[in-house]
Amino acid sequence: MIGINVYLALIAIATLLSMYRVFRGPTTVDRLVAVDIMTTITAGLMVLFALYYERMIFLDVALVYAMLAFGGVIAFARYMEGGL
Amino acid sequence: MNALAAIGEALVLIGTFFYFLSALGLIRMPDVYNRMQTSTKSATLGSLGVMVGVGIWALGTDFGSAAWLVKTIAIATFLLLTNPISAHALIRAAYKSGIPLWEGSVVDKYREHLEAKEKVAEEAPAEEGGEE
């Protein structure tokens, strides 16, 4: 109907808006929240790339990326809390 | 088969639109708690839409198979389970590191909960001492 390029452009705009919060954010947790949203968006971007290039292996890449991003965010949150 | 592609594309459109809304909430909200509130929920919903949509869309194409749908549903379930956990950990870290609430906020349930717990912890040894 509309084409996959429009969705990729929407995701690019969303990533740029999150980048603004990463650079601007007054506190560290603001930047962490923005990075968390960016990793979620990037997982969706990888799934869309799998459809764009017609390669199913990118889905595995997206799954591993989501797992590693989850671990990283948990580690950073523990560090901010003072438990690490 | 083309109807599957149309349904999947509509789901992907909804998901990317929610991605855009979550980034917009990240910009527009006044403090870190409101930003977390608006952006995490809509990013999770957007991920569900994009991933399940791609799985259904791939079924309608000539290269797609059922493995696409299974894998995308696996990724979507993983994100649905882990995104609230990471958001909870981040916002708890924000609260414990002493970031103040926005001046327009009127309810702080977590502080009330902590104060009630402290009060119970203070009164409990005294009551035990009184019973003895």
Side-chain angles (χ1 to χ4, degrees):
Chain A
M1 292 185 289
I2 303 177
I4 202 167
N5 290 315
V6 179
Y7 312 135
L8 293 179
L10 264 176
I11 286 185
I13 292 172
T15 312
L16 282 178
L17 291 181
S18 312
M19 285 290 279
Y20 170 78
R21 183 52 70 191
V22 171
F23 286 122
R24 173 78 192 284
T27 65
T28 311
V29 184
D30 278 313
R31 298 191 167 99
L32 280 179
V33 169
V35 168
D36 185 27
I37 300 306
M38 277 173 64
T39 54
T40 307
I41 290 176
T42 309
L45 183 67
M46 284 175 181
V47 173
L48 268 181
F49 270 156
L51 191 68
Y52 189 78
Y53 290 115
E54 305 180 2
R55 295 270 189 277
M56 203 164 65
I57 192 71
F58 288 168
L59 294 180
D60 302 334
V61 178
L63 182 58
V64 172
Y65 182 77
M67 285 182 181
L68 287 180
F70 171 66
V73 167
I74 291 293
F76 269 116
R78 288 295 293 169
Y79 173 69
M80 285 300 298
E81 206 171 321
L84 197 67
Chain B
M1 290 301 263
N2 215 359
L4 284 175
I7 293 171
E9 192 161 356
L11 279 176
V12 170
L13 176 60
I14 293 171
T16 47
F17 182 65
F18 271 97
Y19 274 161
F20 175 71
L21 282 187
S22 82
L24 200 63
L26 206 57
I27 292 275
R28 294 284 294 164
M29 284 291 139
D31 73 337
V32 62
Y33 305 102
N34 284 324
R35 276 173 211 142
M36 174 61 82
Q37 158 79 17
T38 54
S39 56
T40 306
K41 288 177 180 174
S42 50
T44 308
L45 183 60
S47 310
L48 288 184
V50 166
M51 284 156 192
V52 178
V54 165
I56 296 176
W57 190 353
L59 281 183
T61 58
D62 47 353
F63 57 91
S65 64
W68 281 78
L69 189 57
V70 173
K71 279 192 178 182
T72 48
I73 284 179
I75 301 172
T77 310
F78 180 77
L79 275 179
L80 182 66
L81 289 181
T82 56
N83 248 340
I85 299 175
S86 62
H88 173 77
L90 269 180
I91 216 64
R92 190 178 147 97
Y95 197 94
K96 294 230 169 149
S97 61
I99 296 172
L101 268 68
W102 180 45
E103 67 264 16
S105 305
V106 291
V107 176
D108 191 355
K109 285 282 187 186
Y110 188 51
R111 200 193 59 207
E112 291 172 8
H113 171 71
L114 286 182
E115 283 174 355
K117 217 160 79 174
E118 278 184 8
K119 196 180 291 179
V120 167
E122 283 173 3
E123 286 174 357
E127 285 178 0
E128 285 178 2
E131 285 172 2
E132 285 173 4

